[in-house]
Amino acid sequence: MNQKTPIRAYLALFSGLLIIGFSAILIKSAEAPGLITAFYRVAIASIVLLIPFLYNWKSIKSLSKIAVLMAVLGGLTFGIDTGLWSMGIELSNATIPTLMANLAPVWVGFGAALVFKEKQRKGFWIGLGITLSGILIMVYRSLNGEQGLFAGIVFGLIAGMFYGAYHLFTQKGRQLMGTLSYLSISTFSASVTVGILILFTDYSFIGYSDKTWIIYLFYGVVVHVGGWTLINYSQGYLKATTVSPTLLGQPVLTAIFAFLILGESLTAWQIIGGLIVFAGIFIVNNTRLRKK
């Protein structure tokens, strides 16, 4: 690393975070079902990523079966995650499902303790308790509140579980292949997954406005490919203890953008519950990173 590399890495990280912060806004702005918007996000990104995929074909062809399997499973779980998350945003608002979907560190730690018998530090269980209390506040207050908010919370929570699984597959897959190779295979796998889910609905792949197609294009090229390439670049130079907590800023940015662009506002109880959830996620995330 030269002297300018850390600066570039930080710029890439915050630029990538800023870009992906618009994800929920694009889903809400598209004049289409959330599941359709999710499909075109990964489908268009797959076409763009076909360029580095073909360029690196020789190295990709020599990958082990386990490496390809990790990328495919990563795409499968990411496809389900982004599909459910998009549906949650469609049913409620942009902020709450995004916050719920970022519970991935909690589910990863809980799953590791439950399935792999991994011992967690005291801070993890404290963070888990705080997170669950925040969720309970939001769920309780949403039952008689904004229409669709409860569904948004549920879809976001389930999406977060699949997002956690995606991180586990990605961690293993990235040990076996480069960033763009993994991103290419997993994104294509995600597009196939979401496409199959749509076949079980009455949604149409065509017939949307010009504005919506522009959103699809921006979402796939700028947000998915551009945003995540910047973040993945930063991960090669910055510590996980820097990158991971920083990415928790996505729900905060989404709330700000939703207020400024969509005119969405949160109730006092949603803000209180959201802050409690955010604090719990931060404690869990920080505890696991320190452990590693």
Side-chain angles (χ1 to χ4, degrees), residues 87-148:
M87 291 169 67
I89 290 172
E90 177 193 351
L91 292 169
S92 58
N93 59 31
T95 305
I96 301 302
T98 302
L99 179 62
M100 295 297 106
N102 275 272
L103 284 168
V106 176
W107 302 128
V108 170
F110 189 71
L114 189 66
V115 179
F116 301 111
K117 308 302 178 183
E118 179 182 305
K119 291 184 178 180
Q120 302 294 350
R121 287 186 173 183
K122 183 179 179 181
F124 170 82
W125 298 109
I126 293 174
L128 177 61
I130 293 173
T131 302
L132 292 176
S133 64
I135 293 173
L136 288 174
I137 289 173
M138 297 177 72
V139 169
Y140 174 72
R141 299 302 301 186
S142 68
L143 291 176
N144 297 315
E146 182 183 335
Q147 186 177 6

Side-chain angles (χ1 to χ4, degrees), residues 17 95 98-100 102 247-256 278:
L17 176 63
T95 305
T98 302
L99 179 62
M100 295 297 106
N102 275 272
L247 291 180
L248 291 179
Q250 183 185 357
V252 179
L253 285 175
T254 297
I256 294 171
F278 186 82

Side-chain angles (χ1 to χ4, degrees), residues 76-210:
L76 172 68
T77 50
F78 183 80
I80 297 174
D81 156 52
T82 192
L84 292 172
W85 172 58
S86 300
M87 291 169 67
I89 290 172
E90 177 193 351
L91 292 169
S92 58
N93 59 31
T95 305
I96 301 302
T98 302
L99 179 62
M100 295 297 106
N102 275 272
L103 284 168
V106 176
W107 302 128
V108 170
F110 189 71
L114 189 66
V115 179
F116 301 111
K117 308 302 178 183
E118 179 182 305
K119 291 184 178 180
Q120 302 294 350
R121 287 186 173 183
K122 183 179 179 181
F124 170 82
W125 298 109
I126 293 174
L128 177 61
I130 293 173
T131 302
L132 292 176
S133 64
I135 293 173
L136 288 174
I137 289 173
M138 297 177 72
V139 169
Y140 174 72
R141 299 302 301 186
S142 68
L143 291 176
N144 297 315
E146 182 183 335
Q147 186 177 6
L149 187 59
F150 179 73
I153 292 174
V154 173
F155 275 105
L157 283 172
I158 301 173
M161 294 178 187
F162 282 98
Y163 193 34
Y166 164 75
H167 279 297
L168 291 175
F169 289 126
T170 299
Q171 183 179 8
K172 180 63 177 178
R174 282 290 287 110
Q175 293 173 356
L176 304 172
M177 68 177 79
T179 301
L180 287 177
S181 297
Y182 182 86
L183 195 60
S184 301
I185 298 172
S186 63
T187 301
F188 177 74
S189 174
S191 66
V192 172
T193 301
V194 182
I196 292 174
L197 291 176
I198 292 172
L199 294 178
F200 291 94
T201 70
D202 295 328
Y203 299 147
S204 173
F205 287 95
I206 58 174
Y208 300 104
S209 65
D210 292 340

